């Protein structure tokens, strides 16, 4: 079986984005730390578990972005993935998921993957578009928000359980090749083993540059970025932890909550 | 400027879900301004279609649309789009909406904006608002070449209740038959949590609590209040700190207590949807820029391990011996 896991490298949640001068996008300074999108890490783990069940399975990783995303790909190889592909794309403005999915689908075309796994969305932008769009462009079925999956090698299918609204679930069968976007909670991602860390040192990440021109498309754009408005009063309590605690108690007491 | 707007009706077991009326309200804001036509597409014969006013109806009849499949809904949307030629396609940001909406956008070669929280009008057109960068920033999007597919967050718009003229109703008989997908089973796991549903005070834990041991502190804080319960964000549940039946958010429960205390919760839109109707919101987080502060009445920038024990001490100071409030959880 040939599996591809699409991962995104995201900035640490506590890093502070700085809006650019044109107010059309935001970036991070050199102190920001980046990690693998949590949902995608679950997808990597799921791929590795399938490989443990089905012999001769190959797990590839692909990620789109600037030079720094190589470290995220390497981390996946340290977790146990076989090969890494870096679709080099350095941008400091909005890149539509329509374009991202186009580039990744283009990469997939001659690779004949049986299964493509992604996270259900990214932690930072939470669009959840790239996965289903890749599937649509490749003409394969997809399922989003999957919290359980099982491959049926004889039937060349995958059985998945999707999480629906208000805690309901449904199970369904998709014929392979297919794309599955996993929800967090599907598994506990493993830590890299020492042997895989050693192996990753000698595993080359294949870099792919500029396969598709992206300027020909007119997708949605981000026109303006601003601080999120306050929906409530947002009073900030000041002082030492003890002073803040006393102030909070007083405020809640006045509201008859304590 | 004239826009043609297509809405995909959100249904469950053959009934229209209320979020559909929110989508119609959203569309009517655009229609009122640009004199646009609105068509609501019903995949399959759905009961209650006569309750829809102020829009035309397009019913797509096909045996393959008896229940939701990504494939079936995608085909129904494409078929409807061929007839309606929409500039904007509005879909609910629900577990069905985000499953197929991006596919429809890709196949129509249109743009796509998911979890839209609002729309704005400026002289040269419509802008779509959603948050990004871990919910820290507001992003205003502009459509590219039509059609544009948007998914709208449930609760972002009021439900359309105004009685407008009923529109026309037309039918397409199609042979949509999902070939790659087959539904197996629909499950309703027991996720009831009466404590949480009846609680007047909810103390919610997020990723910021860091480890399971810190849950004790959250429980102790809850015990400072009467009729209190504990809850968690998605991450807190995924980490096994909090049961899934106490998860607050888009994929969990919607709560509206008198007091909601968010401890170490970042405040993604997915979480906010679940608690925004709370009367008073207090947030404790060490990150001064965290998104949840934008949705809070009282913000405390502090490490949880430092603040919560102080708060518990403070509350105990005011508690008359033997009269301590008894929590219901």
């Amino acid at each position: 079986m040939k599996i591809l896991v699409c991962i995104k490298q995201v900035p640490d949640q506590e890093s502070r984005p700085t809006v650019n001068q044109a107010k059309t996008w935001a970036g991070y300074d050199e102190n920001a730390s980046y990690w693998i999108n949590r949902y995608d890490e679950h997808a990597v783990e799921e791929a590795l578990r399938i490989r443990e069940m089905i012999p001769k399975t190959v797990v590839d990783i692909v990620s789109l972005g600037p030079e720094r995303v190589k470290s995220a790909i390497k981390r996946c190889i340290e977790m146990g993935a076989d090969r890494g592909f870096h679709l080099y794309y350095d941008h400091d403005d909005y890149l539509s998921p329509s374009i991202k999915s186009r580039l990744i689908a283009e990469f997939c075309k001659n690779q004949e993957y049986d299964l493509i796994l992604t996270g259900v969305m990214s932690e930072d932008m939470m669009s959840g578009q790239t996965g289903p769009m890749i599937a649509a462009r490749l003409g394969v079925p997809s399922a989003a928000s999957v919290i359980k999956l099982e491959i049926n090698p004889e039937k060349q299918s995958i059985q998945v359980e999707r999480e629906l609204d208000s805690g309901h679930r449904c199970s369904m069968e998709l014929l392979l090749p297919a794309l599955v976007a996993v929800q967090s909670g599907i598994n506990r991602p493993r830590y890299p083993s020492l042997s895989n860390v050693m192996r990753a040192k000698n595993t080359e990440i294949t870099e792919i540059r500029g396969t598709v021109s992206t300027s020909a498309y007119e997708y949605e754009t981000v026109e303006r970025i601003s601080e999120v408005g306050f929906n409530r009063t947002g009073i900030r309590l000041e002082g030492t932890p003890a002073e803040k605690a006393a102030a909070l108690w007083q405020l809640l007491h006045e509201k008859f909550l304590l | 400027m004239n826009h043609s707007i297509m809405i995909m009706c959100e249904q469950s077991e053959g009934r229209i879900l209320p979020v559909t009326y929110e989508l119609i309200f959203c569309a009517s804001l655009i229609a009122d301004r640009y004199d646009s036509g609105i068509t609501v597409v019903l995949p399959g014969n759905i009961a209650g279609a006569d309750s829809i006013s102020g829009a035309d109806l397009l019913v797509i009849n096909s045996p393959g649309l008896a229940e939701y499949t990504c494939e079936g809904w995608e085909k129904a949307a494409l078929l409807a789009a061929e007839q309606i030629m929409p500039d904007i396609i509005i879909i609910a940001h629900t577990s069905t909406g985000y499953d197929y909406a991006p596919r429809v956008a890709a196949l129509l070669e249109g743009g796509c904006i998911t979890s839209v929280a609002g729309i704005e009008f400026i002289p040269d057109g419509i802008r779509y608002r959603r948050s990004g960068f871990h919910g820290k920033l507001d992003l205003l999007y502009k459509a590219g070449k039509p059609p544009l597919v948007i998914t709208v967050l449930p609760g972002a718009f009021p439900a359309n209740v105004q009685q407008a003229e009923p529109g026309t109703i037309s039918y397409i008989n199609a042979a949509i038959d999902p070939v790659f997908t087959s539904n197996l089973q629909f499950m309703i796991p027991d996720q009831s949590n009466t404590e949480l549903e009846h609680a007047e005070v909810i103390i919610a834990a997020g990723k910021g609590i860091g480890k399971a041991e810190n849950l004790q502190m959250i429980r102790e804080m809850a015990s400072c209040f009467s009729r209190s319960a504990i809850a968690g964000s998605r991450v807190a549940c995924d980490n096994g700190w909090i049961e899934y039946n106490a998860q607050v958010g888009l994929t969990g429960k919607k709560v509206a207590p008198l007091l909601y205390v968010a401890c170490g919760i970042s405040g993604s839109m997915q979480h906010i949807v679940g608690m925004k109707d709370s009367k008073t919101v207090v947030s404790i987080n060490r990150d001064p820029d965290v998104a949840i502060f934008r949705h809070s009445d009282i913000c405390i920038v502090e490490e949880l391990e430092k603040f919560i024990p102080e708060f518990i001490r403070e509350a105990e100071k005011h508690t008359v011996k033997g009269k301590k409030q008894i929590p219901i959880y």
Side-chain angles (χ1 to χ4, degrees):
Chain A
M1 228 189 143
K2 218 174 152 189
I3 304 175
L4 177 70
V5 188
C6 309
I7 64 153
K8 181 181 174 184
Q9 191 187 44
V10 295
D12 170 354
Q13 187 172 297
E14 290 187 9
S15 299
R16 186 183 196 158
T18 314
V19 178
N20 69 12
Q21 215 147 31
K23 295 205 183 330
T24 53
W25 199 239
Y28 293 87
D29 65 21
E30 63 276 11
N31 298 323
S33 50
Y34 292 86
W35 59 37
I36 304 168
N37 176 39
R38 192 162 55 83
Y39 301 93
D40 300 341
E41 209 175 350
H42 288 290
V44 175
E45 174 63 33
E46 212 51 35
L48 298 174
R49 289 183 187 198
I50 295 170
R51 196 182 57 188
E52 285 160 7
M53 309 277 285
I54 302 172
K56 289 187 194 162
T57 295
V58 175
V59 175
D60 285 353
I61 304 292
V62 69
S63 190
L64 180 84
E67 196 57 32
R68 61 172 159 75
V69 308
K70 283 203 174 73
S71 65
I73 300 170
K74 188 166 170 236
R75 168 82 184 186
C76 297
I77 297 170
E78 288 174 349
M79 282 174 75
D82 296 293
R83 302 187 296 177
F85 296 90
H86 174 203
L87 303 186
Y88 185 90
Y89 198 98
D90 200 356
H91 60 99
D92 48 14
D93 52 1
Y94 176 68
L95 184 62
S96 168
S98 293
I99 295 174
K100 292 182 193 175
S101 59
R102 187 169 279 286
L103 294 168
I104 296 169
E106 189 63 31
F107 162 79
C108 294
K109 268 192 183 138
N110 303 316
Q111 300 277 351
E112 294 179 345
Y113 289 108
D114 301 294
L115 178 65
I116 303 175
L117 292 169
T118 71
V120 67
M121 60 183 144
S122 64
E123 285 174 71
D124 57 342
M125 298 308 289
M126 298 191 138
S127 285
Q129 294 183 29
T130 310
M133 281 183 169
I134 294 169
R137 296 191 195 288
L138 294 172
V140 303
S142 62
S145 204
V146 166
I147 35 113
K148 202 171 165 186
L149 62 81
E150 199 178 340
I151 304 275
N152 186 333
E154 282 89 61
K155 285 172 79 182
Q156 274 293 299
S157 71
I158 180 169
Q159 191 174 320
V160 302
E161 213 169 288
R162 283 191 66 216
E163 190 180 70
L164 308 178
D165 304 303
S166 48
H168 297 178
R169 293 178 175 192
C170 72
S171 60
M172 64 187 66
E173 191 169 24
L174 307 177
L175 291 182
L176 296 175
L179 182 142
V180 171
V182 304
Q183 176 59 276
S184 61
I186 189 171
N187 56 39
R188 291 278 169 88
R190 69 192 64 190
Y191 287 101
S193 66
L194 187 61
S195 60
N196 276 327
V197 170
M198 298 309 287
R199 187 181 57 88
K201 281 190 204 297
N202 303 316
T203 308
E204 192 114 344
I205 294 168
T206 309
E207 185 180 289
I208 298 162
R209 284 191 187 231
T211 49
V212 174
S213 151
T214 54
S215 57
Y217 303 102
E218 280 179 61
Y219 296 118
E220 79 291 341
T221 48
V222 172
E223 189 178 65
R224 187 164 54 82
I225 285 200
S226 54
E227 295 283 324
V228 177
F230 280 85
N231 290 334
R232 288 172 186 259
T233 51
I235 302 166
R236 292 207 181 203
L237 303 184
E238 303 293 339
T240 63
E243 286 163 356
K244 288 175 187 165
L248 179 63
W249 189 89
Q250 193 58 36
L251 284 166
L252 297 182
H253 184 63
E254 283 162 15
K255 287 176 187 275
F256 302 105
L257 290 164
L258 267 170
Chain B
M1 202 175 349
N2 213 316
H3 287 87
S4 165
I5 306 169
M6 169 174 141
I7 293 172
M8 289 297 285
C9 175
E10 184 80 6
Q11 61 95 46
S12 174
E13 293 167 41
R15 287 180 177 280
I16 296 179
L17 289 179
V19 67
T20 303
Y21 304 105
E22 298 172 17
L23 305 183
I24 296 173
F25 184 92
C26 168
S28 70
L29 294 177
I30 300 170
D32 289 350
R33 221 162 244 265
Y34 296 108
D35 193 26
S36 327
I38 304 173
T39 310
V40 178
V41 178
L42 289 83
N45 222 335
I46 297 163
D50 52 355
S51 68
I52 292 174
S53 62
D56 292 334
L57 298 180
L58 176 60
V59 180
I60 302 189
N61 277 320
S62 176
L65 296 176
E67 53 183 7
Y68 172 80
T69 58
C70 178
E71 213 180 321
W73 259 236
E74 169 191 305
K75 284 177 179 158
L78 293 178
L79 200 61
E82 208 173 287
Q83 178 147 338
I84 299 165
M85 299 294 285
D87 299 291
I88 306 164
I89 300 174
I90 304 179
I91 298 172
H93 193 80
T94 57
S95 59
T96 53
Y98 60 67
D99 194 39
Y100 77 96
R103 297 182 59 111
V104 172
L107 296 170
L108 290 172
E109 269 312 331
C112 188
I113 308 167
T114 46
S115 54
V116 169
I119 56 173
E120 291 177 19
F121 296 100
I122 61 163
D124 83 326
I126 312 159
R127 298 295 180 267
Y128 305 86
R129 187 165 48 80
R130 73 187 297 275
S131 64
F133 295 90
H134 297 284
K136 292 181 179 185
L137 296 171
D138 243 352
L139 279 61
L140 215 51
Y141 286 73
K142 183 185 174 181
K145 222 168 101 188
L148 173 72
V149 175
I150 64 170
T151 63
V152 171
L153 278 175
F157 294 94
N160 158 348
V161 282
Q162 62 191 23
Q163 279 307 310
E165 287 289 302
T168 62
I169 178 160
S170 45
Y171 297 86
I172 298 180
N173 290 316
I176 293 171
D177 193 16
V179 283
F180 299 114
T181 329
S182 48
N183 284 344
L184 299 171
Q185 209 187 346
F186 183 75
M187 292 154 276
I188 306 178
D190 182 18
Q191 294 282 14
S192 63
N193 183 339
T194 44
E195 284 90 347
L196 190 62
E197 280 143 29
H198 295 121
E200 289 177 355
V201 175
I202 295 175
I203 312 295
K207 190 181 177 185
I209 75 162
K211 51 184 178 193
E213 293 79 65
N214 281 340
L215 208 59
Q216 187 50 30
M217 168 174 95
I218 301 294
R219 285 203 192 93
E220 280 174 31
M221 185 173 186
S223 71
C224 297
F225 300 88
S226 61
R227 301 188 69 82
S228 63
I230 60 165
S233 68
R234 173 109 208 169
V235 189
C237 297
D238 288 341
N239 284 334
W241 301 333
I242 302 276
E243 293 289 327
Y244 278 106
N245 71 359
Q247 185 202 326
V248 170
L250 189 65
T251 53
K253 292 204 157 47
K254 277 204 179 93
V255 296
L258 292 175
L259 173 65
Y260 188 85
V261 183
C263 306
I265 292 178
S266 65
S268 65
M269 274 322 291
Q270 274 74 1
H271 186 75
I272 302 299
V273 165
M275 48 62 77
K276 68 181 164 67
D277 295 329
S278 306
K279 189 121 194 294
T280 299
V281 177
V282 173
S283 294
I284 309 155
N285 209 296
R286 66 175 184 197
D287 177 2
D289 302 316
V290 76
I292 192 101
F293 284 162
R294 313 278 167 172
H295 306 275
S296 306
D297 300 288
I298 302 169
C299 313
I300 296 146
V301 184
E302 198 60 72
E303 298 280 349
L304 297 174
E305 286 99 328
K306 280 190 191 152
F307 179 80
I308 294 178
E310 285 293 351
F311 180 82
I312 294 165
R313 262 195 290 281
E314 182 67 27
E316 278 168 357
K317 259 199 266 172
H318 298 276
T319 312
V320 182
K321 226 177 181 183
K323 256 191 81 185
K324 197 162 188 250
Q325 308 280 24
I326 300 156
I328 61 158
Y329 70 87

